[in-house]
Amino acid sequence: MTAFAALHVPGSPLLLPNVWDFGTAAFLSARGFPALGTTSLGVSAAEGEPDGVPSSKDATVRLAGRLAGLDALISVDLADGFSDDPGEVGALAAELAEAGVAGINLEDALGDPELHAAKIAAAKKRAPGLFVNARTDTHWLGEPDIEAAIKRSLSYVDAGADGVFVPGLAEPADVERLVKATSTPVNLLFLPGKVTVAALAGLGVARVSLGSLPYRMALAATLRTVEAVRDGGELPLTPPSYDDVAALLPEAR
């Protein structure tokens, strides 16, 4: 079992913050978070690209290489793998594993489950030590259907997935069904006002991702800060100092 896989404990889930840049990742790593994921929305937005499109691949890989040098295990959100060719997805998985990445996230976007299974199999063949988290979007893009979620998840586990991810799933009874049906760790997305980490832990979930929430909260905090300065109000948060942030960055070469 890899160090990253060992963090996925049913009933004591890994809380995975998702980041979009080196500075944020370094800040969280310095505060003891053992693992971090990237968010395709945040990375794409930072690059001025639509979420998860092939043109955001280079930025994703470049960021992953930088994050792999941190004192944290890194999982990379690859959207659909940036390709419909399983061979290309497998090659990308191997490239990231070679760079020191611990895991990847591959989503089916409710496309052909056999194609998605082939991508997973290719990734595991080329990078067997990489933790492949297989995401199905039954509850994110379509009408919530736990039977479809279980069916897709099991096919991805059969293809070699190390974990399954069903963002949008929150109904306790359905969460329990998914956990019982799969032999691999179940990952769910934190949904403010709908679920808590403690509740998901009690249902046997092994990983809770924050997705794009930290990036979107950063946008909200930026707006509140600018408005407070404009209006003569108090800053909404106490920021780290310039020196604190500079100390997190690599030394000049």
Side-chain angles (χ1 to χ4, degrees):
M1 179 182 293
T2 66
F4 187 59
L7 295 175
H8 294 69
V9 180
S12 183
L14 167 67
L15 178 64
L16 190 73
N18 295 84
V19 300
W20 60 96
D21 70 320
F22 181 89
T24 304
F27 185 76
L28 291 172
S29 174
R31 276 146 186 79
F33 287 92
L36 304 169
T38 64
T39 160
S40 67
L41 176 64
V43 173
S44 296
E47 289 291 313
E49 297 281 357
D51 184 20
V53 296
S55 55
S56 66
K57 173 183 172 181
D58 288 347
T60 299
V61 172
R62 185 168 60 250
L63 176 62
R66 291 172 177 167
L67 299 186
L70 294 171
D71 187 21
L73 299 167
I74 303 299
S75 179
V76 181
D77 185 355
L78 294 182
D80 65 353
F82 304 114
S83 175
D84 285 333
D85 181 347
E88 292 183 358
V89 176
L92 178 57
E95 179 182 356
L96 291 171
E98 180 67 23
V101 166
I104 59 173
N105 209 69
L106 286 172
E107 62 190 63
D108 65 11
L110 288 187
D112 180 2
E114 291 187 5
L115 174 59
H116 197 60
K119 293 181 183 181
I120 293 166
K124 291 300 295 184
K125 181 178 180 180
R126 293 292 304 275
L130 203 63
F131 188 103
V132 177
N133 201 38
R135 167 175 161 171
T136 182
D137 287 306
T138 53
H139 288 66
W140 195 250
L141 299 178
E143 291 294 326
D145 185 341
I146 189 59
E147 293 294 344
I150 291 174
K151 182 177 180 179
R152 283 178 177 259
S153 294
L154 290 178
S155 71
Y156 302 154
V157 171
D158 287 343
D162 301 287
V164 296
F165 182 26
V166 187
L169 176 61
E171 176 61 39
D174 288 343
V175 173
E176 285 189 312
R177 288 185 62 189
L178 178 67
V179 168
K180 290 178 180 178
T182 61
S183 58
T184 57
V186 170
N187 177 199
L188 294 185
L189 184 68
F190 175 72
L191 301 171
K194 293 185 178 181
V195 297
T196 65
V197 173
L200 293 177
L203 297 171
V205 171
R207 170 166 151 187
V208 179
S209 297
L210 296 185
S212 66
L213 179 62
Y215 176 75
R216 293 182 287 112
M217 290 297 293
L219 295 182
T222 298
L223 177 60
R224 287 188 60 191
T225 298
V226 173
E227 289 177 336
V229 172
R230 179 194 65 192
D231 300 336
E234 294 185 3
L235 293 179
L237 297 168
T238 300
S241 70
Y242 175 94
D243 289 340
D244 287 340
V245 176
L248 298 172
L249 305 180
E251 294 182 1
R253 299 192 180 111

